Amino acid sequence: MIDFVSKLLIFIKDFTGRGADCFYWFVHDRLVATNPVEIVAYPGPVVCHDFWMIRDLLYDTTGDLPAVVLDIDELRISISGNPDDRLNREKIDISAHLGPCGASEEVCSAYKRMFNRGIPFDAEIATKAAGAIARLYLTLCAQAAAKGETERFFSVEMPVYRLLQKAMSAGVTIKAADLSAKRREAEHDYFYCLKNYSAKHDMPLETPSRTSIERKLHALGFEFEGVSTRYVLEFVPHSEDFGGDTLALEEFDAAKRVLSSLTLAGGRTRPIVDVFGSRTSRILLRNPPLQSMSKKYRPIICAREGAELSYVDFDQFEVGIMAALSGDQQLATLYAAGDMYELFAGSHLGLTGNRKAAKQLFLSYAYGMSRKALVDAAVELGAERDKAKDAFRVFARYEEWKKEVCAEFQRTGRIATEMGNHYARSNSGALTGKERRSAVSQVIQGTGSLIFKKALLEMESLKDVTILLPMHDALLFEHRLSDTPSKVIAAFERVMTETLGNRIAGKASVGDFAPA
């Protein structure tokens, strides 16, 4: 036993699928053989690493997952504050962390090979490794407490992990009969877009690499000091819309790859879910990354017989969070009045009807684009220079709040939401432009991730809701009753309002997941 309720599970998976999987509890410093039925029936937290590898096996055997699943890798990554830990999760396995917890190099090496079926099972090696894993778990729990991450992990991240792993085990239904046609359509759309992109922008006839994109942007006069390539493509206006065209091509390429990678079992696909898939704790799917599939191809996803799909999304999610956290009354008024971006376009920028431009400019402003660059961008998009200058002066309290966030990051070397999910600084000295933007986005988007995950947990009380896909800040779900979507909307709005301390009233609505 690790403590009075948790049990450490060690497993060796049979990658051939012939049923020779081995499972062991680590109890009183020894291994005790167990099986999927006993694992799922255990009422306390099941602690293990790489749970995703046995997720479907447990579900297929029992129709369920353990009541509480605590994946040590998820705990380590979610409390570290270092984005590199998340990025390296596929490169560094659990054995790399066992040395400081008492495992010798020989044990670490042997356990790694044994776990990957490179050598036969050795009970002595497995027992020593299990002891080190148990100590690693206790060390991580102590670190979580010291970093202020305990409440968020155990009350939000861990239950959401189990909720979504079960949803992905049940699978997403795909119209198998339409899959070949959709793949052909995606291939055609991609190559048609690529041909036009290449001709229009004098680029090679291939999906451009980051290096080639940056080379092109440099030739067009763009600078990258303190900003990412994605930021320049998405938020800065471009001559002949190079940024928009590049993003569109990448979207077609992503859709083509998603559709070609779909493998079905019984008409379903079962994605792997990363509950802590970004620095700000966004949920990401992979193998296949269905979130990357654009709306045009989403009709391939369908409901089970007798059910229907609905898609609920927060409305102007980031704006509401910014208004609540900063206390900016102008932002709060725009958020409460309706479609903030439509209102901002007409009343502040003089770009009535150009919601896309208003959203692009506002988010550029909100995350720290310089005032001069903002005004230049607004003029490029059709606004009058004087009107553009005045448009962003009205959010004085939000400006002060951004300065406060950056001052805290500078002073303490870390920034977090009101409930953990901190980001630790790796540099010293004055903050760079990129660090200032990262600090602000960590608080806003980290808070958004917290709200969304709390909303997902509310779905467990709605018996007619079957979660299919978390889509960034929106949810695709199955239901059979006509009033279920309104209940989901109410839950989303209530969670947002309560999490933000009733400083704003959260907004959500039913959206279009796919073309009608």
Side-chain angles (χ1 to χ4, degrees):
M1 297 282 284
I2 291 177
D3 54 40
F4 71 99
V5 290
S6 301
K7 263 188 173 181
L8 175 62
L9 176 70
I10 298 295
F11 66 87
I12 305 296
K13 182 178 174 63
D14 177 10
F15 296 106
T16 68
R18 296 173 182 171
D21 310 276
C22 301
F23 302 93
Y24 303 92
W25 296 122
F26 183 62
V27 182
H28 302 307
D29 297 325
R30 64 188 183 90
L31 299 181
V32 178
T34 186
N35 58 66
V37 173
E38 291 181 353
I39 294 167
V40 171
Y42 184 68
V46 174
V47 180
C48 67
H49 64 87
D50 294 292
F51 176 79
W52 63 273
M53 294 178 64
I54 58 170
R55 178 196 74 183
D56 294 345
L57 187 157
L58 297 181
Y59 186 86
D60 290 344
T61 303
T62 68
D64 206 350
L65 295 181
V68 184
V69 179
L70 197 159
D71 189 290
I72 292 176
D73 291 314
E74 295 294 322
L75 174 59
R76 178 180 59 81
I77 290 168
S78 68
I79 70 171
S80 77
N82 181 359
D84 289 341
D85 287 337
R86 175 183 54 81
L87 297 173
N88 293 327
R89 69 185 303 163
E90 301 302 316
K91 303 174 185 177
I92 302 175
D93 67 277
I94 191 75
S95 65
H97 304 283
L98 301 185
C101 297
S104 66
E105 288 186 18
E106 178 186 5
V107 167
C108 292
S109 175
Y111 181 70
K112 178 178 181 178
R113 286 181 290 151
M114 187 171 64
F115 186 75
N116 292 302
R117 290 281 184 172
I119 60 174
F121 178 76
D122 184 313
E124 182 179 357
I125 291 293
T127 300
K128 291 178 179 179
I133 294 170
R135 289 187 288 274
L136 174 61
Y137 168 67
L138 295 176
T139 298
L140 291 172
C141 287
Q143 290 176 0
K147 295 177 178 180
E149 298 286 356
T150 299
E151 182 183 3
R152 177 168 180 144
F153 181 80
F154 286 96
S155 67
V156 179
E157 302 291 348
M158 187 172 71
V160 166
Y161 180 84
R162 193 263 182 190
L163 176 72
L164 292 181
Q165 294 292 7
K166 183 174 179 181
M168 296 306 105
S169 287
V172 179
T173 305
I174 302 293
K175 295 178 182 177
D178 297 344
L179 185 54
S180 293
K182 280 294 180 186
R183 284 171 173 163
R184 289 193 298 271
E185 182 182 358
E187 286 275 349
H188 172 270
D189 291 343
Y190 165 72
F191 284 110
Y192 183 78
C193 179
L194 177 60
K195 179 181 177 181
N196 291 335
Y197 176 83
S198 176
K200 180 179 178 181
H201 299 292
D202 191 26
M203 295 287 285
L205 201 61
E206 61 187 13
T207 302
S209 65
R210 260 325 100 167
T211 300
S212 62
I213 292 172
E214 290 172 3
R215 189 182 301 119
K216 179 71 172 182
L217 288 170
H218 277 302
L220 293 172
F222 291 95
E223 298 295 334
F224 290 86
E225 183 178 358
V227 298
S228 67
T229 306
R230 178 81 187 189
Y231 182 91
V232 174
L233 292 173
E234 189 168 356
F235 292 119
V236 182
H238 296 248
S239 174
E240 297 188 330
D241 200 20
F242 176 76
D245 290 346
T246 301
L247 293 174
L249 178 62
E250 290 181 341
E251 187 174 271
F252 279 122
D253 186 33
K256 174 174 67 72
R257 287 186 282 108
V258 170
L259 288 167
S260 65
S261 69
L262 275 177
T263 56
L264 305 183
R268 297 175 298 159
T269 187
R270 301 162 111 178
I272 296 171
V273 59
D274 283 343
V275 173
F276 209 91
S278 73
R279 173 170 55 81
T280 56
S281 183
R282 280 204 163 192
I283 298 165
L284 297 182
L285 302 180
R286 53 190 175 90
N287 296 346
L290 292 175
Q291 293 160 320
S292 300
M293 192 161 58
S294 57
K295 284 187 177 182
K296 180 176 183 179
Y297 311 105
R298 291 180 187 173
I300 200 77
I301 296 173
C302 61
R304 292 169 298 175
E305 186 176 353
E308 61 180 296
L309 299 181
S310 283
Y311 184 68
V312 168
D313 195 1
F314 288 103
D315 297 334
Q316 287 97 55
F317 194 32
E318 288 171 287
V319 178
I321 294 169
M322 293 172 193
L325 296 182
S326 69
D328 189 295
Q329 191 55 49
Q330 287 285 341
L331 268 182
T333 299
L334 282 169
Y335 174 72
D339 188 322
M340 185 272 181
Y341 300 121
E342 288 281 6
L343 293 170
F344 188 62
S347 62
H348 288 66
L349 292 170
L351 297 175
T352 302
N354 197 343
R355 183 184 188 277
K356 180 180 178 181
K359 181 176 182 179
Q360 183 182 38
L361 288 168
F362 178 80
L363 292 179
S364 297
Y365 157 75
Y367 288 115
M369 180 183 278
S370 71
R371 187 62 57 87
K372 181 182 182 304
L374 265 174
V375 172
D376 289 345
V379 171
E380 183 79 20
L381 289 166
E384 295 178 8
R385 185 168 293 276
D386 288 343
K387 202 168 186 67
K389 287 180 179 179
D390 293 338
F392 300 101
R393 289 175 178 157
V394 299
F395 306 119
R397 175 59 199 135
Y398 181 71
E399 281 296 311
E400 288 299 315
W401 177 79
K402 285 197 295 183
K403 292 176 182 177
E404 292 164 8
V405 168
C406 292
E408 179 183 348
F409 195 34
Q410 170 86 61
R411 184 180 68 256
T412 65
R414 72 195 304 270
I415 196 71
T417 69
E418 293 180 2
M419 194 177 180
N421 189 14
H422 76 285
Y423 169 43
R425 191 182 183 207
S426 57
N427 299 323
S428 58
L431 297 180
T432 65
K434 185 176 182 180
E435 285 179 317
R436 287 194 294 271
R437 279 185 289 276
S438 294
V440 173
S441 71
Q442 185 70 25
V443 179
I444 295 170
Q445 295 183 25
T447 300
S449 296
L450 174 64
I451 293 168
F452 182 54
K453 288 176 178 179
K454 284 186 171 183
L456 288 179
L457 292 176
E458 289 290 308
M459 298 302 101
E460 290 192 287
S461 65
L462 300 178
K463 302 304 181 185
D464 189 41
V465 171
T466 299
I467 291 175
L468 288 187
L469 291 176
M471 297 290 291
H472 306 303
D473 304 322
L475 177 65
L476 179 70
F477 59 95
E478 281 184 356
H479 62 97
R480 297 176 185 273
L481 304 177
S482 60
D483 64 342
T484 297
S486 63
K487 293 180 179 178
V488 174
I489 290 171
F492 270 47
E493 293 179 339
R494 182 179 67 255
V495 168
M496 183 174 180
T497 301
E498 292 175 355
T499 303
L500 294 174
N502 295 294
R503 286 166 280 186
I504 54 94
K507 300 190 298 183
S509 60
V510 171
D512 296 323
F513 175 72

